[in-house]
Amino acid sequence: MSDDDVQLEARLAEQDVFEPPESFVEQANVTDEGIYEEFEENWPECWEGAADLLDWDSDYDQVLDDSNPPFYEWFTGGSLNASANCLDRHLDERGDEAAIEWVGEPTDEDDITYTYEELHREVNEFAAALRDQGVGEDDVVTMYMPMIPQLPIAMLACARIGAPHSVVFAGFSADALATRMNAADSEYLVTCDGYYRRGDPLDHLDKANEGLAGVDHDVETVVVAERLREGDGFDHDYADNQVAFDDLQSEHAGASVDPVSRDAEDMLFLMYTSGTTGEPKGVKHTTGGYLAWSAWTSQAVLDIKPEDTYFCSADIGWITGHSYIVYGPLALGTTTMMYEGTPDYPDKDRLWEIVEEYEATQLYTAPTAIRAFMRWGSEYPDSHDLSSLRLLGTVGEPINPRAWKWYYQNIGDEECPVVDTWWQTETGGMMVTTLPGVKDMKPGSAGPPLPGVDVQIVDVDGEEVEAGRAGYLTVQKPWPGMLRTLYKNDERFIDEYWREYSDVDSDDPEDWVYFPEDGAKIDDDGYITVLGRVDDVINVSGHRLGTMEIESAIVGVEGVAEAAVVGGDHEIKGEAVYAYVITEDGADEDEALRQAIIEGVEDAIGPIARPEAVIFTPELPKTRSGKIMRRLLEDIANGEDLGDTSTLRNPDVVSDIQAKVSDD
Ligand code: WT7
C-alpha cells in the first residue's frame, strides 16, 4: 500500500455513514425519497409501476389476490411472455445493440457479442428445436450448464414456449443433478460437453451422464452444447437420445416461434435450494410477479439503463444469475455481461481487465469475492481504468465494514454507491437495501427495506424488538417476486416459511408472516443488519448448503457411524464446512477414511461442499434430550471460549474434541 492508500484507509475507517455520491444522484433512476411514503400509502397498487415495466398481452384485473394466504397471486388475469419481454420488444429500438457480452475464460478470441437481434434468433431456433423434441407447455426442462451463452439461450427458449426451466449449478455433483431431475419429473436435459477452468478443459458431459444414470424415469432428450474447442474435447459417444445443441439449432435455422401467452401466475422456473432436511426445496417462481420484481429492482437498485454495460459476476446456476444476469437486465433492454471463468485467471486482475475493456457501468458481486480481492491487494484493480463504473453491489452474505470500505475505495474510487442487497432464492429479488440515489449507506448494514416491502425484526413471540437488539427477520406483507410454493409440496411451503409466525388456520392475510430464517437487528434509522441464518443451513462463499445434506453424504461412507456438520469462520469463504465424525467400531480414523469422506461429499453435492476439516471424535456433544449441540461445535471450530457446558449429557467430550481440532 502507498502512503496515500494508508491515509485514505485510516480516514474511511472512522466513517460509518456515506452519502450517495453527487455524480451518481444526478443521473439516478430513483431520486425521490417520497417513494417510501407513497408506496406505503398506496400498497399494493404501488406495484403497478413494476408491472408497467413489462409488456402485457392482456391486462391484469387485480394487483394482488390475497384471498387464500399464503398462496398469494399477483397481477391476476394478466398474461405475458417473459422471452418476448426480454427480447422481441427491444428489437425495434435496440436490435443492433448488445444484449449479452460473453467473455470466455481462455482468450479474447472466444468472446462473443449477441445483439438483441442475434439473441432473438438463437432463442427462436432453440425454442423451435425444443418443441420439435416434444417439449410442451409446463414440461420442466433441466439445464446443467456452466456460464456459456447456450444457458440463457435455453432459458429464454423455454420461457418462449411456456416450459419452466430448472437450472442446476454446474458445480453440483451428478447425484445432485439426478435428485433434482427426479424431484421435478423432468424429461429433458440441456447440458454441455465441457468448459474451461483456469485454462484447462473440464469434462462436464461425463458428470451429466453419470447423473442421468440416476434418473428414475425416461429422459426424452439430452441436448449437448459443444463448448470445447477442437482438440480439447473428451471422448463421448452420444446415446440415442442425445443431440448436439448446434445441430438442433441448424435444423431450425431461421425458425420463428410465437411467444406463448402465459398467465401471470404460470410458473416461469423452478430453482432448487438447500433446506434443513436432506431434500432440496423446489422454489417456484411465476411469470408476471417474478419478472416485474426482477425488472423493477434492477432499475431502482442497480440503476440499470438501456445504454449500460452491466456486469454481475455471479453464476446463472444460482438465483442471482437468474434475476440479475438474465431476466432483470434483459427485461430492461440493457447489455448484460457473462464471464465464463474465475477472477484469478490468467491473473488476479481478470475482472478489472474485463471492466476496463467493456467499460462496465455496474459491478454486482459477492462478499466472498471482495474478501479475496482484498487479500490479493489493490495493485490489481489499480492497474486498470475502472472509471466507467457507476455503481457497485454485493449479495449473498453479510459484508463486514472493512471489506465494504475496501470495495468502495479501491473499486469505486469513492464515486460509486455500494448497494448491499439482502434477499434469497425464495424472494425472487432484492428486499432490503438502500435506494442508491436516495439513501445514505452504512457499511455492514444492508439498509432499510425497499419501498413497499414490510420487514420487521421480531423476537420468538413475533413481537418487534427494539433497535439494536438481535431478533428474527420477518416479512409482514406479500410482494410480487415471492415464491408461490415449493413445487408439488404446499405443505412444506407452509411449514418452512410461514408456520413459525403465522396463524396458519386463518384466512386473513394480516395473520400471515413470512420467515426467511435469518437473524437480524435494526437501528434507530430503520437500517437492518443481517446476522446470518438461524437454521441448520450454512453459507459457503455466498451459497447455501444444508448441514443435513452434507451429513447424510458422510454417513453414507463406509466406516462412518455418525456425523455432525457445522459452519466455521473462514477468511475468504465466510463459512467453511467442519465435519465431526464418529467412526464405526473397527474403522480406522485415518487419512484414507478422511479422503473417502471428502470424496463422498463431493460426489453427493459437489466440490463447493468439500469439508475444510474432518474431525474424528468418539462422541458428539449432546443435550440431555439427545440433540446435537451445533452451536458448541461451531464454537469449537472457531476456537472460541465455550462458556457453560454443564447442560451437556457428556461434557467431557468437549475437551476431547477441542484437542483434536487444534491438532488438525
Ligand atoms: C441467504 C439466501 C440472494 C442471492 C444469493 C444467495 C444470505 C443474502 C445477504 C446480504 C446478509 C445475506 C441470507 C439469505 N444473504 N444476501 N446482503 N447480507 N446475508 O441466495 O442461496 O437463497 O441464500 O443468503 O442468509 O437468507 P440464497
Side-chain angles (χ1 to χ4, degrees), residues 97-113:
E97 305 289 337
I100 295 179
E101 291 283 12
W102 182 75
V103 180
E105 194 195 68
T107 67
D108 286 353
E109 286 152 45
D110 289 28
D111 300 359
I112 305 174
T113 301

Side-chain angles (χ1 to χ4, degrees), residues 215-280:
V215 174
D216 59 16
H217 52 264
D218 284 344
V219 173
E220 296 290 331
T221 307
V222 177
V223 185
V224 184
E226 291 169 341
R227 151 68 179 128
L228 296 179
R229 298 190 228 137
E230 203 90 11
D232 281 348
F234 300 88
D235 249 352
H236 288 292
D237 292 328
Y238 284 7
D240 287 346
N241 65 348
Q242 296 188 320
V243 50
F245 196 107
D246 273 358
D247 292 348
L248 271 189
Q249 261 186 329
S250 356
E251 275 171 33
H252 296 273
S256 157
V257 173
D258 284 342
V260 171
S261 207
R262 299 277 284 170
D263 190 277
E265 281 295 308
D266 280 342
M267 171 160 54
L268 177 61
F269 67 86
L270 266 176
M271 167 127 254
Y272 283 92
T273 185
S274 296
T276 34
T277 70
E279 189 78 1

Side-chain angles (χ1 to χ4, degrees), residues 77-344:
S79 61
L80 73 169
N81 180 280
S83 113
N85 270 282
C86 290
L87 300 169
D88 306 48
R89 65 175 176 149
H90 306 310
L91 292 179
D92 278 352
E93 274 181 37
R94 304 192 46 79
D96 294 335
E97 305 289 337
I100 295 179
E101 291 283 12
W102 182 75
V103 180
E105 194 195 68
T107 67
D108 286 353
E109 286 152 45
D110 289 28
D111 300 359
I112 305 174
T113 301
Y114 292 87
T115 63
Y116 272 94
E117 191 100 42
E118 286 161 344
L119 189 60
H120 178 262
R121 189 179 62 231
E122 299 267 354
V123 167
N124 271 275
E125 290 173 356
F126 197 61
L130 285 177
R131 222 183 228 167
D132 197 38
Q133 294 298 312
V135 179
E137 258 187 84
D138 297 313
D139 287 342
V140 176
V141 177
T142 302
M143 282 150 211
Y144 186 45
M145 293 160 101
M147 289 291 281
I148 57 175
Q150 289 89 346
L151 175 53
I153 290 170
M155 290 164 74
L156 292 166
C158 279
R160 198 164 189 88
I161 61 174
H165 51 74
S166 164
V167 180
V168 178
F169 174 55
F172 275 145
S173 68
D175 282 1
L177 171 66
T179 310
R180 286 156 179 75
M181 287 188 74
N182 289 335
D185 281 329
S186 175
E187 297 178 341
Y188 300 90
L189 176 68
V190 187
T191 184
C192 70
D193 57 347
Y195 54 107
Y196 292 91
R197 258 307 166 276
R198 298 203 167 86
D200 293 325
L202 217 107
D203 191 343
H204 188 64
L205 188 53
D206 192 43
K207 223 165 51 157
N209 282 335
E210 205 185 306
L212 284 164
V215 174
D216 59 16
H217 52 264
D218 284 344
V219 173
E220 296 290 331
T221 307
V222 177
V223 185
V224 184
E226 291 169 341
R227 151 68 179 128
L228 296 179
R229 298 190 228 137
E230 203 90 11
D232 281 348
F234 300 88
D235 249 352
H236 288 292
D237 292 328
Y238 284 7
D240 287 346
N241 65 348
Q242 296 188 320
V243 50
F245 196 107
D246 273 358
D247 292 348
L248 271 189
Q249 261 186 329
S250 356
E251 275 171 33
H252 296 273
S256 157
V257 173
D258 284 342
V260 171
S261 207
R262 299 277 284 170
D263 190 277
E265 281 295 308
D266 280 342
M267 171 160 54
L268 177 61
F269 67 86
L270 266 176
M271 167 127 254
Y272 283 92
T273 185
S274 296
T276 34
T277 70
E279 189 78 1
K281 306 185 275 195
V283 171
K284 175 184 161 178
H285 282 295
T286 57
T287 312
Y290 169 83
L291 198 63
W293 197 251
S294 54
W296 184 78
T297 48
S298 292
Q299 188 182 62
V301 179
L302 297 171
D303 201 52
I304 290 178
K305 304 174 171 67
E307 55 283 7
D308 283 340
T309 301
Y310 155 85
F311 185 10
C312 168
S313 73
D315 191 294
I316 295 179
W318 306 99
I319 191 72
T320 306
H322 279 51
S323 303
Y324 300 114
I325 295 178
V326 182
Y327 287 111
L330 292 178
L332 297 180
T334 196
T335 300
T336 184
M337 305 217 33
M338 259 182 96
Y339 170 50
E340 178 182 33
T342 60
D344 57 354

Side-chain angles (χ1 to χ4, degrees), residues 273 318-320 394-399 420-426 446 516-518 530 532-533 539 542-544:
T273 185
W318 306 99
I319 191 72
T320 306
T394 108
V395 59
E397 52 176 317
I399 178 164
D420 172 359
T421 60
W422 176 86
W423 58 292
Q424 317 179 285
T425 304
E426 291 86 345
E517 303 197 85
D518 272 324
V530 179
R533 306 285 308 180
N539 191 326
H543 301 312
R544 213 203 278 188

Side-chain angles (χ1 to χ4, degrees), residues 488-506:
K488 296 196 214 152
N489 205 341
D490 291 347
E491 197 70 26
R492 189 171 177 199
F493 170 61
I494 293 174
D495 288 347
E496 294 266 356
Y497 305 106
W498 305 92
R499 193 172 292 282
E500 194 79 25
Y501 290 111
S502 308
D503 172 3
V504 294
D505 296 320
S506 168

